Amino acid sequence: MPDLSSSQPVAADVVIAFIGAGNMARSLIAGMRSQGLPGRQLRVADPFAAVREALARDTGAVAAASNAEAVAGARVIVLAVKPQVMAQVCRELVPALTGDPVIVSVAAGIDSAQLDAWLGGDRAVVRAMPNTPALLRAGATGLFANARCSTDDRALAGQLMAAVGNTVWIQDEDLMDVVTAVSGSGPAYFLRLIEAMQTAAVERGLSPEAARQLVLQTAFGAARMALESDESAGELRQRVTSPGGTTAAAMDMFSQRQFEDLVDAAIGAAHERGQQLRQQARETEGSQRQ
Ligand SMILES: NC(=O)c1ccc[n+]([C@@H]2O[C@H](COP(=O)([O-])OP(=O)(O)OC[C@H]3O[C@@H](n4cnc5c(N)ncnc54)[C@H](OP(=O)(O)O)[C@@H]3O)[C@@H](O)[C@H]2O)c1
């Protein structure tokens, strides 16, 4: 599916309401503001007045006294609360929902059918799986829209998440668990490689600061090369690996120690754990309802 995220500016009559004024809401609001969206089109609710007012003051968004006040007439409703409180937040919102808003959840592991049921059914729901670099507007977000979403709903949700990084639409919701295992948990994998490289550099005599600078800039440069090139990561790697050279020696060791198998098993473990956690959350929710 084409990414419609940046195809057109958000219309002047569109109000985006954020439920929860935490880290993710702050990044999304700051991202939308930096793209020129007026603060009056962004509303934010949070149980703590000081929290919502600080976010409003810092970003120019409008603080709403309650979740119901925030969503009144909103075209987009962003559920930016922790997964544990999501069911309650959704159920309490139902009487306040008017019109036909698109509801975007950034909570990990809660599927669109669950959200739709908590929201009273027949709702346009988009599930977004951002990762932590979204807080620096360098995130990678997988997006899934349920069948109820219109083209406009998808475009609005895409634009919202594009304010904090790159977006990829996923057609099959089951694959959101793979997104979680790859990009949701992924920053930690790269950070672990960075850590290991720094340790190896220090063990061989570099100062911790020199190791840090060299490894971090190398990680950044490699990602930038891959992002900006038309060649695949594999092609780029081969181009920087001269036969018989130092890089080739390291690559041979990666192969001998079955690096690809290790990465595949690690992502497999994250995928499986995500599925288990989702199942457990469903069972807990089911038992609480009985
Ligand atoms: N941060 C990330 O990098 C990241 C990445 C991917 C996905 N996410 C997802 O994004 C969501 C938000 O994460 P976050 O890091 O922004 O969390 P957060 O900083 O804890 O923000 C959530 C905010 O919602 C408030 N809240 C709690 N109950 C509420 C209610 N009934 N109505 C309105 N607001 C309520 C919380 O208040 P209290 O603190 O007083 O409870 C808090 O201010 C989570 O579901 C998380 O899984 C976050």
Side-chain angles (χ1 to χ4, degrees):
M1 179 184 296
D3 189 339
L4 302 170
S5 315
S6 53
S7 51
Q8 56 194 23
V10 174
D13 59 345
V14 165
V15 168
I16 306 179
F18 293 82
I19 306 302
N23 296 310
M24 192 47 72
R26 179 172 282 270
S27 297
L28 286 164
I29 291 173
M32 294 304 280
R33 291 285 288 128
S34 75
Q35 293 183 354
L37 193 72
R40 68 183 134 75
Q41 289 181 247
L42 298 160
R43 274 189 218 145
V44 60
D46 194 282
F48 284 92
V51 173
R52 62 181 186 255
E53 277 157 18
L55 181 49
R57 194 174 50 244
D58 294 347
T59 61
V62 179
S66 65
N67 292 353
E69 184 182 309
V71 303
R75 175 70 184 85
V76 182
I77 298 171
V78 186
L79 302 173
V81 295
K82 296 278 191 222
Q84 308 86 278
V85 298
M86 189 62 89
Q88 192 195 337
V89 165
C90 289
R91 290 194 186 109
E92 287 172 5
L93 268 187
V94 173
L97 293 176
T98 52
D100 210 2
V102 54
I103 297 165
V104 182
S105 159
V106 293
I110 301 181
D111 58 44
S112 65
Q114 251 177 323
L115 290 161
D116 185 48
W118 295 336
L119 290 160
D122 205 24
R123 298 283 174 198
V125 174
V126 170
R127 241 180 99 185
M129 181 62 222
N131 59 10
T132 318
L135 304 181
L136 310 171
R137 284 182 248 158
T141 300
L143 287 161
F144 171 80
N146 74 359
R148 186 67 178 66
C149 287
S150 64
T151 305
D152 197 39
D153 291 334
R154 288 166 195 257
L156 283 165
Q159 275 170 292
L160 171 79
M161 297 314 298
V164 292
N166 284 348
T167 56
V168 175
W169 283 98
I170 304 296
Q171 302 290 340
D172 173 354
E173 188 165 8
D174 284 345
L175 293 178
M176 289 296 276
D177 288 330
V178 180
V179 171
T180 305
V182 172
S183 56
S185 301
Y189 313 159
F190 286 100
L191 291 168
R192 185 144 181 190
L193 180 60
I194 286 169
E195 243 181 299
M197 285 176 68
Q198 286 180 191
T199 303
V202 170
E203 274 173 6
R204 285 164 181 76
L206 288 184
S207 71
E209 187 47 29
R212 180 178 179 275
Q213 297 276 353
L214 291 169
V215 173
L216 289 182
Q217 184 60 31
T218 302
F220 177 72
R224 211 175 139 190
M225 262 170 69
L227 274 171
E228 291 179 13
S229 172
D230 291 332
E231 291 178 281
S232 68
E235 285 165 339
L236 286 170
R237 175 175 56 76
Q238 278 163 15
R239 277 213 292 113
V240 297
T241 310
S242 320
T246 58
T247 312
M251 290 298 122
D252 286 348
M253 187 53 71
F254 275 133
S255 301
Q256 276 180 42
R257 302 278 177 102
Q258 293 164 336
F259 179 71
E260 281 76 10
D261 286 352
L262 174 63
V263 173
D264 184 62
I267 289 181
H271 184 198
E272 202 175 308
R273 185 68 186 135
Q275 290 172 318
Q276 282 168 359
L277 288 172
R278 207 152 47 79
Q279 186 56 33
Q280 278 171 17
R282 273 231 184 95
E283 285 165 9
T284 310
E285 164 65 14
S287 63
Q288 281 170 352
R289 299 227 75 191
Q290 281 164 13

